[in-house]
Every structure is written in C-alpha cells, then in structure tokens.
Amino acid sequence: MPYQSIQQLLKTAPVGTVVTVKGWVRTKRESKNAVFIALNDGSTINTIQAVAQPDQLSDDLLRLITTGACLSVTGELVESQGSGQAVELKISDVLVYGPADPDKYPLQPKRHSLEFLREIAHLRPRTNTFSAILRVRHALAFAVHKYFNDNGFYYLNTPIITASDAEGAGEMFRVTTLDATKPPLTEEGKVDYSQDFFGRETNLTVSGQLEGELGAMALGKIYTFGPTFRAENSNTTRHLAEFWMIEPEMAFHELEDNMALAEDFVKTVIRYALDNCADDLAFLDNRLKEEEKTKKKEEQSELSLLEKLRFVVDNEFQKLTYTDAIEILLNSKPAKKGQFQYEVSWGVDLQSEHERYLVEKHFKKPVILTNYPRAIKAFYMKQDDEPATNDRGQVFGPTVRAMDVLFPGIGEIIGGSQREDNYDKLVARMEEVGIEPDALWWYLDTRRFGSAPHAGFGLGFERLVLFVTGMGNIRDVIPFPRAPKQAEF
Ligand code: ATP
Ligand code: MG
Ligand code: MG
Ligand code: MG
C-alpha cells in the first residue's frame, strides 16, 4: 500500500496493524512511565500521538526529538488510553529525518503573534492556524472550479502580461526586459522604456475582464481564476499587491442574472467549505472565540465564525440601489454625529467604513448594491436609461448597471456589472473618460460584430478566504503575501 498521510490513516484507523507515520514533532512529553510524541504532517489539523516506554529510546535519540524535528515513526496502531484521540501509535522504531535545534527553531509550542509569523512566512504553514487556513483555501479553490464546471462555464486563462491599461482599476506594475543596472537612455537622458517587452510598453494584469469578455462572446459562459497585480501603496488589511481573482463572464446575462449568480456562487462555495473543512473550521472558530474573549464586551462579535458562515449561506442577501444606500447613510447615526472619516453624499465612492455600516449595523446581512453613479465606475459598464432619483423626486446624475457585493468584516468582496453592449455608447464613453478607442479595437470588435447583452463580476479570492477563515488581515490568508516590504519569500 502506498504511504498514507495522517489524514488518510485516521480515516480508516486500522487498529491492530503496524503502520509508519511521518511528520513534524509538535510536542514531546516525558513522564515516568512513557514518552509521548505528537506528530503532525500537515494533511490535517489532527496530530497522532506516538507512545514509547521510557527505556525504549536512547538519550541521544530523545535529545533529537524536539518540536519541529521531522520523524518517521513505526508501530502498532492501538486504541488510545487517553481522551481526545481514538487511536495512538505504540512505537517500535523511530528514525529522525531532520532534527530542529530547539535554540534556533522559531516555532515553539505556544501561540505566536500573527505579526511575528508574517516575518517567518516560510515556516508558518507548520502552525495549526496557517495549515488550517491553507487547507480551507485549497477547498475553496476546488469549490470554485467545481461550481463553474457544474454550471456549464469554461475555464479561460487570460494573459498576465498585457499592453492594455484600460481597466483603470489601480496602479500597475510595469514589465520590463531592461537591464536595470545600465538601462538604455533617450536623447533627453531618461530611461528608454520603448524597449520594454520587446519594444512594447506592458504591465502585469490588473484584471482579466476585458479578455474574459472576448471569451464570453464566443463560448457563452467562462471564468478566469488567476493572479492579478495592483501596485496598491496603501497598507490596508484588505489589499495585496498580488492577489487571485475569479472573474466569470456570461453572454445573455443582464444585471439581475449577474446578481443571482454571484449570490448563488458565494453561498455554494462557502457551503462546500462548511461541509468539507469541518475540523479546520472548528479549529479556526475556537481560535477566534479565544481572541474575542480578550476584547471589550461591546466589541465582541455576536456570532461565532461558524454561525456567521451558516447565516450567510442560509439567508437572502439584501439588494438595494446605491442611491437608496446613500439615503440610509445620510440618515445614519455616524453621519449625523460626524463619525465617518469620509463624508457621504450622492456621487462619492463608498469607503469600507460605509459599506461595513450598511452590512454590519443596518441590514446585518450581506448586501448587493446596484446602479452606481457612472462617474465613479469603469467605462465598460452598461449605462442606465434614466438618471437616479430618490423617493422625494430629487434627481441625481447618470448611473450604470453595476453591482458590488458587500460582506461583514470586509466590505466589498465582489465588483461586477452588466457590460455596455452598444458600440456607439461605449465609444462615446471611452472618449469622455480619455481612453483611445483605437487602443482597444480588439475589445470593440465584440460590439461591432454580433454584440450581445452580457455581464460578469470579479471576486477577490483572498477576501473570500479572509471571510471564511475569520482572519483579520489579508496577508494571513495567502501563502506568500506580496505587499510593500514583503517580496522575498
Ligand atoms: P477596493 O474598493 O476594495 O479597492 P476595487 O473596487 O478596487 O476594490 P475591483 O477592481 O472591483 O476592486 O476588483 C474586484 C475584486 O477584487 C474586489 O471586489 C476585491 O474583492 C478584489 N480586490 C481588488 N483589489 C484587491 C487587492 N489589492 N487585494 C486583494 N483583493 C483585491
Ligand atoms: Mg481598489
Ligand atoms: Mg471598490
Ligand atoms: Mg470594485
């Protein structure tokens, strides 16, 4: 039989047979009657306890068995005497693959701060918290592909290097083939960027959407799931310089279909995690409960992590227009008491504090906001025919068929829209915002030839993982975070 991980072994638990378990020592405990070694191999949050008689292992060997050392342990699997675990290993043989000097190994059996663990991002997956997060992240990624495959979508890979900068979603990283130590200079003595990417100016993609639209206008329903780059220079807990974005794009879908799909999609993948990551989510739930206890009573969350996830999966999201949301915000306590950092009025882009007020204080559930002002959204969003009005008949500016999905603790998790499918309107809008239509001739071809109503959205994968794991900082839900001052490992 091929080697089985601890996760596989605990599933079948063949009591009475001799098995070999390989993994890293979490703890070693010595008593008069026995030596207990807790081993974990990352396949599960659970450890397997290996037990030896005190005189069975030599002093030299015992000295090497310390937290972090990697061992191969062979023995009979027996029913556990102690509580907590059903089985344990009666050691017959121990091999030390690699010791870990206890004076130097940075991970000790105690709770380390997340800040400290970020500094040793190369080792933190060996902790319970991070291995749990990474396994949940894996399950969510699998659920994403499964959802789209089950619903007739095709997985489309869009380019990472691109000359298109039309999205305007954020600051871009430039791609260059230049030798930075001696870059060619122009006659004015400036760096000659015309040599970037074989003579073209190119960037790392900020979104696969425009290419995704090309896919939808040929295959019907597609999705992308790939790395996305934004030179975000603010140090927030919700932004990374490199993150993974999921972008479905669907022909023959309007805004309402887009909203329904987004809601069904996030609920389905969260449900998948609830059904398939029970041990890891229970661990993260407990971790959070302990953290909550250290907070002041009024700052403690009403729902536990698992309750929050079940609530999202079981309840309909609140839907309302941007204009109605502004009315609510203007009439809110924080607005009246001047407690928002950013002032609210029709036309402003909502800040995370406003989004979180709507979700956490007002509706107490996820919210889908629609029909945003045209001026604060990208050029490709379908224009509404009538300007926005409130129920007192006040008329505001033009809007687009945009939607943002807002989640508790996070704010925006999804941004999407129905796309402008009218060639003339699209070109006029591009000219208005200063985008050269010729530069996007390939994109405009989808409107020139066989245009169709279509819609799509982008979900930042790490924001989803952040929500599902209950973590507070996006740098803690990606194995190797890329952010200002964090690029080495
Ligand atoms: P925000 O308002 O939070 O900056 P955005 O409106 O700039 O987000 P979009 O261009 O709408 O973001 O991108 C779609 C989704 O990608 C967002 O809803 C969010 O989930 C995610 N996202 C955007 N920027 C980042 C980032 N820097 N790091 C991680 N996820 C991001
Ligand atoms: Mg942004
Ligand atoms: Mg936004
Ligand atoms: Mg957005």
Side-chain angles (χ1 to χ4, degrees):
M1 193 167 23
Y3 176 73
Q4 289 200 315
S5 66
I6 293 178
Q7 186 244 13
Q8 291 170 311
L9 200 64
L10 289 177
K11 221 184 264 173
T12 49
V15 170
T17 64
V18 172
V19 297
T20 298
V21 174
K22 306 176 187 205
W24 292 270
V25 176
R26 279 296 167 78
T27 54
K28 180 185 69 178
R29 200 160 47 82
E30 288 176 77
S31 77
K32 244 193 288 162
N33 306 326
V35 179
F36 301 95
I37 305 166
L39 274 189
N40 179 277
D41 66 358
S43 60
T44 161
I45 195 82
N46 298 307
T47 51
I48 217 163
Q49 175 156 281
V51 189
Q53 298 312 307
D55 52 358
Q56 206 185 332
L57 309 175
S58 73
D59 284 350
D60 282 349
L61 184 57
L62 268 175
R63 223 169 289 128
L64 294 177
I65 302 175
T66 57
T67 297
C70 189
L71 311 184
S72 172
V73 181
T74 302
E76 188 189 341
L77 206 64
V78 296
E79 272 174 35
S80 180
Q81 311 296 317
S83 60
Q85 194 114 72
V87 291
E88 64 186 27
L89 203 67
K90 230 169 105 184
I91 294 179
S92 54
D93 197 20
V94 175
L95 173 75
V96 179
Y97 279 136
D101 183 344
D103 294 330
K104 298 194 176 128
Y105 188 60
L107 296 171
Q108 290 305 317
K110 62 164 194 173
R111 179 147 292 170
H112 296 284
S113 78
L114 296 171
E115 291 76 19
F116 169 72
L117 292 174
R118 247 169 257 150
E119 288 167 18
I120 51 161
H122 60 303
L123 289 174
R124 67 179 184 175
R126 287 195 193 173
T127 63
N128 276 336
T129 299
F130 281 88
S131 59
I133 292 167
L134 293 181
R135 285 186 297 267
V136 172
R137 184 180 164 105
H138 159 83
L140 286 168
F142 180 78
V144 166
H145 285 295
K146 178 169 161 42
Y147 179 87
F148 288 124
N149 188 62
D150 288 351
N151 287 282
F153 284 70
Y154 295 109
Y155 179 35
L156 186 80
N157 298 118
T158 51
I160 287 170
I161 297 176
T162 175
S164 124
D165 63 351
E167 163 82 10
E171 292 294 315
M172 283 173 301
F173 290 108
R174 188 166 201 135
V175 174
T176 180
T177 49
L178 295 180
D179 175 353
T181 58
K182 40 181 182 332
L185 302 177
T186 62
E187 282 174 9
E188 298 90 60
K190 297 211 170 111
V191 177
D192 181 4
Y193 284 116
S194 68
Q195 289 193 25
D196 279 15
F197 196 74
F198 316 113
R200 286 291 300 275
E201 217 179 88
T202 53
N203 309 290
L204 294 180
T205 185
V206 293
S207 156
Q209 187 209 307
L210 301 188
E211 294 89 351
E213 284 187 55
L214 306 181
M217 296 302 278
L219 299 175
K221 291 196 282 188
I222 63 92
Y223 70 104
T224 73
F225 188 175
T228 309
F229 308 87
R230 294 185 189 181
E232 312 272 9
N233 53 17
S234 56
N235 257 311
T236 80
T237 55
R238 305 282 175 270
H239 292 88
L240 287 162
E242 178 179 307
F243 63 101
W244 287 66
M245 183 128 77
I246 297 151
E247 294 178 279
E249 190 71 36
M250 301 78 66
F252 320 122
H253 278 56
E254 304 196 2
L255 180 63
E256 294 68 23
D257 311 306
N258 204 21
M259 291 160 69
L261 181 81
E263 181 168 346
D264 185 52
F265 165 64
V266 282
K267 284 179 171 173
T268 307
V269 297
I270 294 172
R271 198 177 292 122
Y272 183 88
L274 279 167
D275 291 346
N276 290 275
C277 306
D279 288 353
D280 287 323
L281 288 178
F283 172 82
L284 292 167
D285 189 55
N286 268 327
R287 183 189 167 281
L288 212 63
K289 277 180 188 152
E290 278 173 34
E291 206 180 276
E292 286 288 303
K293 278 190 215 148
T294 67
K295 292 187 186 164
K296 281 187 243 150
K297 196 122 207 120
E298 59 273 20
E299 281 166 20
Q300 288 177 4
S301 148
E302 284 166 33
L303 299 180
S304 74
L305 173 64
L306 286 171
E307 286 166 343
K308 217 184 300 179
L309 297 179
R310 289 199 196 101
F311 181 85
V312 164
V313 161
D314 291 338
N315 287 281
E316 215 177 292
F317 294 0
Q318 183 73 39
K319 286 120 197 152
L320 75 160
T321 66
Y322 167 93
T323 304
D324 289 343
I326 291 290
E327 292 282 307
I328 291 170
L329 288 167
L330 283 174
N331 287 313
S332 69
K333 230 199 232 163
K336 292 199 160 141
K337 290 193 164 169
Q339 286 163 341
F340 283 134
Q341 200 185 339
Y342 295 88
E343 230 175 274
V344 183
S345 64
W346 198 97
V348 301
D349 203 359
L350 296 182
Q351 302 294 322
S352 154
E353 57 175 345
H354 309 132
E355 296 173 338
R356 292 183 58 178
Y357 173 84
L358 292 169
V359 172
E360 291 160 25
K361 297 277 177 334
H362 191 83
F363 291 113
K364 296 187 191 289
K365 49 155 80 170
V367 169
I368 308 186
L369 281 192
T370 62
N371 307 86
Y372 280 72
R374 192 170 72 185
I376 57 168
K377 287 290 180 187
F379 73 94
Y380 49 69
M381 297 193 179
K382 187 167 180 66
Q383 298 172 28
D384 281 313
D385 294 332
E386 303 293 334
T389 53
N390 65 13
D391 52 13
R392 296 185 303 284
Q394 200 176 350
V395 182
F396 301 100
T399 55
V400 285
R401 311 208 78 206
M403 62 164 205
D404 274 10
V405 181
L406 315 177
F407 260 43
I410 293 189
E412 177 181 340
I413 191 165
I414 286 179
S417 72
Q418 185 173 341
R419 317 304 187 190
E420 183 55 77
D421 51 319
N422 179 292
Y423 176 84
D424 294 328
K425 280 190 183 167
L426 187 57
V427 169
R429 185 66 191 149
M430 289 169 85
E431 284 169 345
E432 253 171 52
V433 298
I435 295 170
E436 182 56 58
D438 279 351
L440 287 182
W441 64 272
W442 49 273
Y443 179 68
L444 287 169
D445 266 5
T446 53
R447 278 55 168 189
R448 289 200 325 148
F449 309 119
S451 189
H454 63 290
F457 61 82
L459 166 76
F461 185 51
E462 284 72 21
R463 294 207 185 162
L464 176 70
V465 184
L466 200 55
F467 179 72
V468 175
T469 58
M471 299 301 288
N473 190 319
I474 199 160
R475 293 178 201 198
D476 297 334
V477 299
I478 185 164
F480 306 103
R482 289 293 169 262
K485 298 201 200 98
Q486 208 161 10
E488 198 182 346
F489 52 78

